[in-house]
């Protein structure tokens, strides 16, 4: 599943994976959970992610290869946040040699909408619980809501710039394939989810 930061990709990937009873494989989660032996590599990966940058391709590919070999991914999986660069997309085809088709769903959202969405994300200053747009105070403890630190405007712009620069070529890489589908992400979550399900079903069947 592809889409820029703020497109709701994580939420949609989670939901789709649940409906299809397959694991959602998020590179971010896997990186955070992975017991990376090499402390220096782990620190470097974390520093890069905190700054809104991307981690080494080889590191990520190795982690994804390991994750996709796990028994719970044998019937399929949803990749969220991978591949992020062409240098990750090309090895992914080889990883999946025996497991085609790779269905590619791109969630498209206009940039102005993304900036609005990313800037409106808030968390509780006291307990860190994420808040929805409608809340005035923290739903968990009544605390004051503040913008998420990594959603400061400069960071938002940097994330979108990095996405455009490194991930847009990936969309072009997949676009001509018969298994590529584009979905309009600028509509209610329910509609996006229905469109994603229909898009995948049009390639591999199912509902
Ligand atoms: Zn709170």
């Amino acid at each position: 599943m592809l889409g820029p930061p703020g497109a709701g990709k994580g939420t949609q990937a989670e939901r789709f994976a649940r409906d299809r009873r397959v694991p959602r494989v998020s590179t971010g989660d896997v990186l955070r959970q992975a017991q990376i032996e090499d402390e220096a590599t782990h620190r470097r990966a974390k520093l890069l992610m905190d700054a809104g940058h991307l981690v080494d391709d080889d590191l990520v590919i190795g982690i994804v290869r390991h994750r996709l070999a796990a028994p719970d991914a044998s019937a399929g999986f949803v990749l969220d946040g991978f591949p992020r660069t062409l240098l990750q997309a090309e090895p992914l085809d080889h990883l999946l040699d025996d497991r085609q088709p790779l269905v590619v769903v791109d969630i498209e959202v206009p940039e102005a909408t993304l900036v609005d969405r990313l800037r409106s994300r808030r968390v509780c200053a006291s307990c860190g619980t994420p808040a929805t747009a409608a809340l005035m105070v923290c739903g968990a403890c009544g605390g004051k809501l503040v913008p998420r630190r990594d959603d400061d405007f400069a960071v938002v712009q940097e994330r979108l710039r990095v996405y455009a620069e490194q991930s847009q070529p990936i969309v072009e890489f997949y676009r001509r394939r018969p298994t590529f589908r584009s979905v309009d992400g600028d509509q209610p979550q329910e509609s996006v989810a229905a469109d994603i399900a229909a898009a995948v079903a049009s390639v591999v069947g199912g509902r």
Side-chain angles (χ1 to χ4, degrees):
M1 204 171 283
L2 304 176
K9 181 168 56 71
T11 307
Q12 293 293 345
E14 185 67 55
R15 177 176 179 152
F16 181 84
R18 204 170 51 235
D19 287 353
R20 286 273 182 154
R21 295 190 174 80
V22 295
R24 162 177 164 257
V25 176
S26 148
T27 323
D29 289 351
V30 174
L31 271 175
R32 276 185 285 272
Q33 286 160 16
Q35 292 299 320
I36 299 172
E37 302 285 306
D38 179 353
E39 268 287 309
T41 307
H42 196 170
R43 259 202 316 275
R44 180 167 142 72
K46 189 179 179 313
L47 280 172
L48 286 167
M49 280 193 292
D50 286 352
H53 284 101
L54 307 168
V55 293
D56 290 359
D57 293 321
D58 286 347
L59 175 69
V60 179
I61 291 158
I63 290 168
V64 170
R65 176 187 294 118
H66 184 74
R67 178 65 187 86
L68 296 189
D72 70 331
S74 63
F77 46 82
V78 179
L79 285 173
D80 171 11
F82 181 89
R84 274 201 179 155
T85 66
L86 279 180
L87 288 174
Q88 295 176 359
E90 285 159 5
L92 177 62
D93 279 332
H94 297 297
L95 280 187
L96 300 179
D97 272 344
D98 308 327
R99 307 181 67 169
Q100 298 289 345
L102 172 65
V103 183
V104 181
V105 175
D106 180 38
I107 305 176
E108 289 193 339
V109 182
E111 186 172 331
T113 308
L114 293 174
V115 171
D116 283 352
R117 284 187 190 175
L118 288 167
R119 293 192 72 186
S120 65
R121 285 185 187 173
R122 294 167 303 159
V123 296
C124 174
S126 308
C127 73
T129 302
T132 56
L135 290 176
M136 302 300 290
V137 296
C138 174
C141 77
K144 183 173 174 243
L145 297 177
V146 296
R148 237 172 49 166
R149 195 175 59 88
D150 70 349
D151 286 343
D152 290 342
F153 190 56
V155 176
V156 167
Q157 283 187 313
E158 174 66 3
R159 286 171 72 192
L160 291 176
R161 191 192 64 75
V162 168
Y163 181 78
E165 185 179 301
Q166 299 205 280
S167 298
Q168 213 45 51
I170 292 175
V171 174
E172 300 314 318
F173 176 76
Y174 289 126
R175 194 182 290 283
R176 282 162 301 164
R177 296 187 183 189
T179 55
F180 178 88
R181 295 289 183 276
S182 172
V183 164
D184 177 9
D186 196 9
Q187 50 174 349
Q189 245 184 50
E190 293 293 319
S191 310
V192 178
D195 285 359
I196 289 171
V200 176
S202 73
V203 178
V204 298
R207 71 187 177 77

